[in-house]
Amino acid sequence: MRSIAHIRASDKQVQTVEAHLLGVCKLAEKYGEKLGVKHVTGLAGLLHDMGKYTNAFADYILAAEAAANNPSVSKPKRGSVDHSTAGGKLLYDLFHGDKSPYRVVLAEIVGNAIISHHSYLKDFFGPELESDYLKRVIEKELEEYEQSKQTFFEHVIGEKDLNAYVDQAAVELEQYLNKGADNEPLELQLMFLTKLTFSALIDADRTNTRAFEMNLPDEPELDVNPLFHTYYDRLLKKVHTFQSAKDASKRINRLRHEMSEQCDQFAEQPPGIRTLSIPTGGGKTFASLRYALKHAFTFHLKRIIYIVPYTTIIEQNAAEIRKILEDDTHILEHHSNVVHERRDRKEAPTTHNEDQELDGLAVTQEQKLELVKDNWDAPIIFTTMVQFLNVFFTKSSRNIRRLHNVCEAVLIFDEVQKVPTSCISLFNLTLNFLRNYGGSSIVLCTATQPALDYVEHKLDMSQNEEIIGNIDDVIKEFTRVKLIDKATGETFTTDKLAQFVDDALNEVQSVLVILNTKSVVKALCEQLGDQVVDEQGTVIPVYHLSTYMCAAHRNAILEKVKQHLKHKEKVICVSTPLIEAGVDISFECVIRSLAGLDSIAQAAGRCNRHREHNMQNVYIIDHAEENLKQLEEIRKGKAIVSIMLKDMVCDPTAHGGDLLSRAAISRYFQEYYMERASDLDYTVPKLSKSLTSLLFAYGNDTDGYYQAYLQQRKKQPQMEDAIRSLCIKNSYGTAAEHFKVIEDLTTPVIVPYGKGKEIIAQLNGGGTIDDLTDLLRSAQPFTVNLYEYDIRRMDQSGGLGSCLDGKVLVLKEGAYNDTFGVDIENDSKMGFLNS
């Protein structure tokens, strides 16, 4: 039997199984060391490909290699040889009957990671009354199991040494569990540890395989401490230029400086969960970066991750920070996963247990894509709330690979009030894990801090964790707008709104209109036309912004708008809510369609942002033509604000006399979370369970699957004993299948806007793994996330194409236009690009 883990495509060199196992073990140990569990994660690396020590796998990989070089040779079915079960089975056989409970739990945690490392974590018990875990480690027969086990002990680690290694892992497990609070469920601790172990294994496996395929030496770990010191010095130089500016003495600029100084001082406090309630326009980006850099080098944290609600904020903030820090190399923008991953089991390849085995070769584009470096190992990362939550909860090995790199980090959550309601409990639990186990420090930034403790699973933070002192006085000083209620007692059509915009331009130079849906935004732009002529005959340009436009396109439009504002030229901008959070732009007048109070407050932050004028108006309207049927959060938020507005009509002192007061915002979130109490733990209607119960609850919520499965197998004594002996009884795979941050699943599509055309052409040309890594990162600003019904319509109209064996979707040139972005009906002239 030959020992073959991989065959390099370029020169046919072989990586032996033992070289791969020991290499992955070394990397996995490094990843787990952050949490003090290096032997737990290392054990997964050590055993994950033990099943490649078989004649069947050696024959398979040699046949695959022969087929790759000769099209006339039939290619073996990918994944037809199971090599991922053996290592998990060995752990079960050796340690699951052990007297030490820590060894038993270890066998389950590490074993699940191993048997799942080409798919996703398995259910211990699931809704179909099956145990995917037990099916693999007990029921599945492996013909050459004894031979692979013997070869593993001879070439990788002896059985005695393996026992000693497991003893070290068991000690780490005990120490990890002892970190938990008295009331913290054991199942919750084990769930996060399992995911961490799985993350370390996936990343170590792919990193080692990529290094072999690219014939690269081991990459030395970047020492970020001196880098963060350099960044900090460069940032302080920028801060000092603000102090010497002509308008530095203005009260609003002095306040910005004071808050920045408070962030600097607070950075010396030990890691924890903090709040940063800087009002909109208060310099939050620079202040939070100042905190993060000083905090990171003071406490030797490995990276800084900004998590924002919209991709719009990513481009603007990343570009701004790159400029100040004078570094394009170490700052990563991660908007979305450009590579499309199917989530429906019925669509998955029909290999054993729907696993997608990397067959030891990196020949096809799909195989290369699996090795693309996409693990968030950069010193500074900008990403979205969707991507952050996907790391922990969605069914994707590409996402969970990043989990270990979210540990030992400073996490800055911008506009934290945008956490989807259904995800609040999961969000809180994740932050508690990262703080208490992962060694991370967390800052929750927003001008409207939500009441995140109105849920069962609360954030683990003390009472005095607000970074900014005298916050009420600061909010008062930052008051720059007056809310005008045009929603109580009247509604607006598109025609009426267009006239209202016309009238407003007789009083002000610039108007921003924010509406809740793309369709009404487009309708208003079409009603206004490309330009409007005012009473003096001045031609006023009209600009459109929506998520049908890629990030690069939106940035180009925003830059044009900013130039008009800078030169005090009249301008109209009509946008979906994407402009509300983090976009540094200031209009004289804002018109906001009725929505939740947090959205209204953010919209107000785009008006008179730098107090250019004493006081400006923000109008709240009720747009009669918006269809909010599929937008439950906006619909319910709108209903609560409508009642609050009526309260203030009857009593002007209600809610603190100002809809933007802390009293009003606190009341709004109380009402909102009470209204949606049943959604806070992420209910899965199809299963009549919450996601939290599937992931970690043990008791009445999960006993249904366990007890029913036990009853079903009672006539099989061996299986009954195995079922009763399991420590973990939760449904990791099922929970991941049903998780999605937003209600309707979207798919990233690269669009032919600007450089996007060139990227699409290069993707069609193939390239090395590193070429693909660079291209897919470059593609993110030229990507639009489309709903499934949009994808179907684009496909029917002939506007959709694909690259890389169908794994990356692209738009053809005629399906994208320079005004509105994606042309769903594909009515524009078709280009020459074919996919």
Side-chain angles (χ1 to χ4, degrees):
M1 181 194 71
R2 291 192 61 186
S3 172
I4 308 174
H6 302 101
I7 300 176
R8 186 155 52 222
S10 60
D11 60 7
K12 312 309 174 191
Q13 285 295 308
V14 168
Q15 182 187 40
T16 64
V17 178
E18 51 269 25
H20 179 58
L21 292 179
L22 292 170
V24 173
C25 175
K26 181 180 176 182
L27 283 171
E29 284 184 340
K30 184 177 78 170
Y31 301 156
E33 196 165 13
K34 307 168 198 175
L35 281 78
V37 291
K38 65 178 287 186
H39 292 92
V40 176
T41 53
L43 185 61
L46 197 62
L47 282 161
H48 77 289
D49 273 357
M50 188 188 96
K52 287 186 175 180
Y53 276 130
T54 62
N55 290 309
F57 184 81
D59 292 344
Y60 165 80
I61 194 172
L62 290 170
E65 196 270 336
N69 295 300
N70 187 347
S72 64
V73 176
S74 61
K75 186 178 180 181
K77 188 175 182 180
R78 188 180 184 196
S80 57
V81 177
D82 176 359
H83 71 258
S84 59
T85 297
K89 180 176 177 60
L90 178 66
L91 284 175
Y92 185 90
D93 291 346
L94 291 180
F95 305 112
H96 204 271
D98 201 281
K99 292 180 180 179
S100 164
Y102 297 108
R103 283 187 166 212
V104 174
V105 172
L106 202 61
E108 294 177 15
I109 290 173
V110 179
N112 198 345
I114 290 171
I115 67 175
S116 307
H117 78 271
H118 287 292
S119 52
Y120 195 80
L121 290 168
K122 301 291 181 279
D123 285 345
F124 286 96
F125 296 99
E128 296 175 0
L129 303 187
E130 292 284 356
S131 172
D132 291 339
Y133 170 77
L134 290 178
K135 281 166 67 176
R136 291 289 286 274
V137 298
I138 291 182
E139 296 182 335
K140 190 176 182 74
E141 292 188 12
L142 302 175
E143 290 184 5
E144 299 182 71
Y145 173 65
E146 291 299 327
Q147 178 183 345
S148 63
K149 183 170 67 171
Q150 189 61 36
T151 309
F152 172 79
F153 285 140
E154 288 175 4
H155 291 277
V156 181
I157 187 172
E159 188 168 0
K160 182 179 179 181
D161 289 335
L162 178 66
N163 271 278
Y165 195 96
V166 170
D167 282 340
Q168 291 176 289
V171 170
E172 292 172 352
L173 174 60
E174 182 177 10
Q175 292 170 344
Y176 168 88
L177 295 176
N178 287 338
K179 292 181 183 178
D182 291 340
N183 60 346
E184 186 172 17
L186 173 66
E187 290 75 20
L188 178 63
Q189 293 176 286
L190 297 181
M191 181 269 289
F192 277 119
L193 182 57
T194 303
K195 286 178 178 278
L196 182 280
T197 303
F198 189 51
S199 170
L201 173 58
I202 293 292
D203 194 19
D205 185 20
R206 294 186 181 182
T207 299
N208 177 268
T209 304
R210 171 179 168 271
F212 171 74
E213 175 60 29
M214 299 298 296
N215 200 14
L216 299 171
D218 291 342
E219 295 182 38
E221 187 172 355
L222 178 67
D223 184 359
V224 295
N225 226 42
L227 190 66
F228 287 155
H229 273 283
T230 301
Y231 288 164
Y232 178 76
D233 292 340
R234 290 172 181 170
L235 177 62
L236 284 189
K237 284 182 183 178
K238 182 67 175 180
V239 170
H240 292 150
T241 63
F242 294 148
Q243 290 178 266
S244 59
K246 290 180 180 179
D247 58 355
S249 61
K250 287 178 64 175
R251 176 62 177 155
I252 196 168
N253 288 328
R254 291 204 310 273
L255 278 172
R256 286 170 176 156
H257 177 68
E258 288 170 14
M259 289 187 286
S260 177
E261 288 292 324
Q262 289 181 59
C263 285
D264 192 288
Q265 294 166 17
F266 214 97
E268 298 174 5
Q269 298 291 323
I273 301 177
R274 324 288 190 195
T275 58
L276 179 60
S277 301
I278 291 181
T280 302
K284 181 174 51 190
T285 301
F286 288 156
S288 61
L289 178 62
R290 187 172 177 179
Y291 171 90
L293 288 170
K294 187 173 184 181
H295 193 65
F297 67 65
T298 300
F299 295 99
H300 303 283
L301 300 177
K302 300 291 177 59
R303 58 187 46 81
I304 296 167
I305 307 177
Y306 274 88
I307 299 101
V308 300
Y310 304 124
T311 56
T312 318
I313 311 173
I314 291 180
E315 297 95 38
Q316 176 178 295
N317 288 3
E320 200 170 10
I321 286 174
R322 276 197 186 97
K323 185 176 179 182
I324 292 167
L325 302 185
E326 303 172 25
D327 190 344
D328 289 329
T329 304
H330 297 113
I331 300 173
L332 170 68
E333 295 177 48
H334 187 266
H335 303 236
S336 63
N337 288 331
V338 175
V339 180
H340 177 52
E341 291 187 299
R342 292 181 172 181
R343 293 168 56 112
D344 187 343
R345 277 186 169 185
K346 294 177 182 177
E347 294 182 331
T350 54
T351 61
H352 69 276
N353 291 289
E354 289 99 14
D355 283 357
Q356 295 190 16
E357 304 281 2
L358 184 65
D359 57 17
L361 298 168
V363 177
T364 69
Q365 298 291 7
E366 183 175 358
Q367 290 161 342
K368 290 177 183 178
L369 282 170
E370 291 182 27
L371 302 181
V372 162
K373 189 177 181 182
D374 190 16
N375 59 352
W376 286 7
D377 64 347
I380 297 181
I381 300 165
F382 286 86
T383 191
T384 63
M385 181 65 72
V386 170
Q387 295 303 319
F388 172 78
L389 290 169
N390 280 347
V391 165
F392 287 86
F393 300 111
T394 199
K395 188 176 183 180
S396 163
S397 60
R398 182 172 287 112
N399 283 281
I400 202 170
R401 176 183 181 183
R402 305 164 186 143
L403 190 155
H404 72 91
N405 276 330
V406 184
C407 300
E408 285 194 333
V410 184
L411 307 176
I412 309 290
F413 289 90
D414 197 10
E415 311 299 349
V416 73
Q417 78 281 354
K418 295 295 184 182
V419 178
T421 305
S422 61
C423 297
I424 287 175
S425 287
L426 295 173
F427 176 77
N428 287 352
L429 291 168
T430 301
L431 265 55
N432 291 342
F433 164 75
L434 289 171
R435 177 207 174 184
N436 297 331
Y437 299 90
S440 291
S441 201
I442 295 141
V443 179
L444 308 177
C445 299
T446 181
T448 53
Q449 287 288 354
L452 291 176
D453 56 351
Y454 284 97
V455 295
E456 180 183 353
H457 304 290
K458 298 176 174 58
L459 282 174
D460 183 9
M461 58 190 298
S462 60
Q463 294 295 316
N464 302 311
E465 296 291 2
E466 170 58 50
I467 295 175
I468 304 301
N470 303 316
I471 191 65
D472 286 319
D473 294 338
V474 172
I475 291 172
K476 185 177 179 180
E477 290 288 343
F478 268 83
T479 301
R480 295 151 294 175
V481 301
K482 181 181 179 182
L483 293 185
I484 308 294
D485 179 9
K486 302 287 290 183
T488 303
E490 66 175 311
T491 58
F492 280 70
T493 62
T494 297
D495 287 345
K496 182 178 176 180
L497 180 55
Q499 185 59 54
F500 188 68
V501 172
D502 262 346
D503 295 341
L505 282 163
N506 293 323
E507 306 294 330
V508 297
Q509 290 288 103
S510 57
V511 175
L512 169 64
V513 184
I514 304 175
L515 306 175
N516 289 317
T517 66
K518 292 189 286 282
S519 59
V520 291
V521 166
K522 184 178 181 182
L524 180 59
C525 285
E526 290 174 334
Q527 179 74 16
L528 292 169
D530 293 336
Q531 55 190 32
V532 172
V533 180
D534 68 7
E535 292 179 345
Q536 287 75 40
T538 305
V539 176
I540 307 169
V542 178
Y543 293 98
H544 165 278
L545 287 171
S546 85
T547 52
Y548 272 154
M549 303 159 72
C550 69
H553 191 176
R554 295 196 303 264
N555 281 346
I557 295 298
L558 281 168
E559 192 54 42
K560 289 180 181 180
V561 173
K562 286 179 180 180
Q563 287 303 310
H564 289 298
L565 295 170
K566 179 181 178 180
H567 295 104
K568 302 190 184 320
E569 298 167 352
K570 289 200 170 188
V571 63
I572 301 168
C573 182
V574 185
S575 177
T576 59
L578 67 86
I579 200 172
E580 285 177 350
V583 179
D584 186 8
I585 199 164
S586 180
F587 292 81
E588 286 188 33
C589 171
V590 171
I591 301 167
R592 180 54 167 102
S593 183
L594 198 57
L597 187 51
D598 54 329
S599 295
I600 291 171
Q602 290 300 316
R606 308 316 119 188
C607 183
N608 198 23
R609 185 174 179 84
H610 306 292
R611 198 177 265 178
E612 302 94 326
H613 311 276
N614 286 333
M615 197 68 71
Q616 293 297 116
N617 293 332
V618 174
Y619 296 95
I620 304 173
I621 67 162
D622 187 0
H623 199 301
E625 296 168 9
E626 287 182 342
N627 180 3
L628 304 180
K629 186 177 179 181
Q630 301 299 321
L631 302 172
E632 184 179 18
E633 296 203 4
I634 294 176
R635 190 174 72 250
K636 291 192 173 181
K638 172 181 175 178
I640 295 169
V641 174
S642 294
I643 294 171
M644 294 177 73
L645 287 171
K646 289 173 185 175
D647 291 343
M648 295 181 73
V649 169
C650 299
D651 178 8
T653 66
H655 309 300
D658 181 3
L659 209 57
L660 298 180
S661 70
R662 293 185 81 193
I665 290 167
S666 178
R667 176 61 181 272
Y668 168 77
F669 279 113
Q670 285 184 47
E671 294 288 337
Y672 184 76
Y673 291 148
M674 285 175 61
E675 175 73 19
R676 302 202 63 189
S678 61
D679 299 330
L680 296 175
D681 283 344
Y682 201 112
T683 303
V684 183
K686 184 178 179 181
L687 302 177
S688 300
K689 292 184 181 294
S690 69
L691 213 73
T692 54
S693 70
L694 291 169
L695 285 169
F696 65 84
Y698 177 55
N700 292 333
D701 283 340
T702 53
D703 270 357
Y705 297 156
Y706 167 62
Q707 294 290 357
Y709 182 75
L710 180 61
Q711 194 66 30
Q712 191 180 66
R713 296 296 188 112
K714 272 213 166 185
K715 294 181 181 179
Q716 299 172 275
Q718 181 193 6
M719 285 305 297
E720 185 179 348
D721 290 343
I723 296 163
R724 292 187 184 279
S725 69
L726 279 181
C727 297
I728 306 175
K729 297 178 170 65
N730 298 102
S731 311
Y732 299 151
T734 296
E737 277 183 16
H738 288 90
F739 177 78
K740 47 189 177 182
V741 181
I742 52 178
E743 187 60 32
D744 294 308
L745 191 65
T746 59
T747 300
V749 180
I750 304 174
V751 301
Y753 172 84
K755 189 182 174 184
K757 297 177 185 178
E758 179 186 335
I759 291 170
I760 291 170
Q762 290 178 350
L763 285 171
N764 277 318
T768 67
I769 294 167
D770 277 2
D771 290 338
L772 290 177
T773 299
D774 293 339
L775 275 175
L776 292 176
R777 286 184 176 178
S778 299
Q780 297 199 52
F782 304 94
T783 300
V784 173
N785 289 303
L786 296 179
Y787 293 108
E788 290 301 321
Y789 58 81
D790 286 337
I791 293 287
R792 288 195 297 271
R793 288 166 65 191
M794 292 300 301
D795 195 33
Q796 290 167 1
S797 67
L800 195 66
S802 67
C803 301
L804 304 178
D805 301 331
K807 298 293 284 185
V808 175
L809 298 182
V810 300
L811 287 193
K812 297 181 180 179
E813 286 194 38
Y816 194 89
N817 70 58
D818 290 337
T819 302
F820 299 115
V822 177
D823 181 0
I824 294 297
E825 303 303 330
N826 194 21
D827 291 333
S828 53
K829 184 179 178 182
M830 290 297 294
F832 298 103
L833 179 66
N834 292 304
S835 299

